[in-house]
Amino acid sequence: MERTMFKVKLKKLIERLYYKNVSVTRNLTNHADISVEQLRAARSLLNWSQADLSKKSGYALATINNIERGQYQAHSATLNDIVQTFEESGIQFIDGPGVRIQTSDFRIKYYEGADALHYLFRNVVASLEKGGDLYISGLDEKKLKMGAEEEMKFLQTRLKQNVNVHILNNKSYSSALTFHNLKKKVVPDNILLIPCFIYKGRVAIVVLQNPMHVAIIYNEDMARKYLAQFEYVWNKEKSL
């Protein structure tokens, strides 16, 4: 009996730890219940002005102001983008309703569906706003461009000159993705590459199927390990 109770308690503990650190977004209606008060509270926690939120989210200052004053109901896509902007800076929206700063050093954001790459690319652009390195590995470039042409244009145009892009790909998957400051290496098809983006202490695992799947893992140690594997193959294999 005690053993059974222990298993039940352990299962509940694991579930609490898991769901605390994993956020799932499968469509554009998930954030519909987030209130104007939560948005203002989130901005206050981060000590952002409306102008700060406008710059970071990409929406006009007037739009932010009107939403916060309740002048009109934000479109679901707009609200999702604003919420994601807060979440990228560590804000967690919770039932109550309320907001809090996430303190965990291991978080996962999971996106599924046609908008998955949209949210990934916004994440990449926001994270590399002040420059840095982006590593892309093992993705079918033709499928990526065909499945998300507008999102790819957004990523290619928004990444600035101070972002260094490194692409490691198999021969059959390489079809001329272009970025500023691009370095690219193509290796044989029998070399196993993990389809992912590595940037700013994050790893984004990408599955280009219908529906698309993206899991962004926020963890410095894991990012370092993925990057070490990337660099090992990059330095070991001869470019084709």
Side-chain angles (χ1 to χ4, degrees), residues 190-202:
N190 63 343
I191 303 298
L192 180 63
L193 299 176
I194 299 173
C196 66
F197 286 65
I198 309 167
Y199 58 100
K200 287 291 182 183
R202 306 169 192 190

Side-chain angles (χ1 to χ4, degrees), residues 164-210:
N164 301 302
V165 181
H166 314 258
I167 297 179
L168 179 62
N169 221 339
N170 295 118
K171 184 177 180 181
S172 61
Y173 283 172
S174 180
S175 60
L177 280 183
T178 57
F179 292 92
H180 299 303
N181 301 333
L182 172 66
K183 292 183 179 180
K184 187 170 185 178
K185 196 163 190 178
V186 181
V187 299
D189 289 337
N190 63 343
I191 303 298
L192 180 63
L193 299 176
I194 299 173
C196 66
F197 286 65
I198 309 167
Y199 58 100
K200 287 291 182 183
R202 306 169 192 190
V203 179
I205 309 299
V206 180
V207 180
L208 295 176
Q209 63 183 35
N210 190 13

Side-chain angles (χ1 to χ4, degrees), residues 75-87:
H75 294 298
S76 57
T78 303
L79 182 58
N80 273 270
D81 287 341
I82 291 173
V83 169
Q84 187 190 20
T85 301
F86 282 127
E87 290 177 338

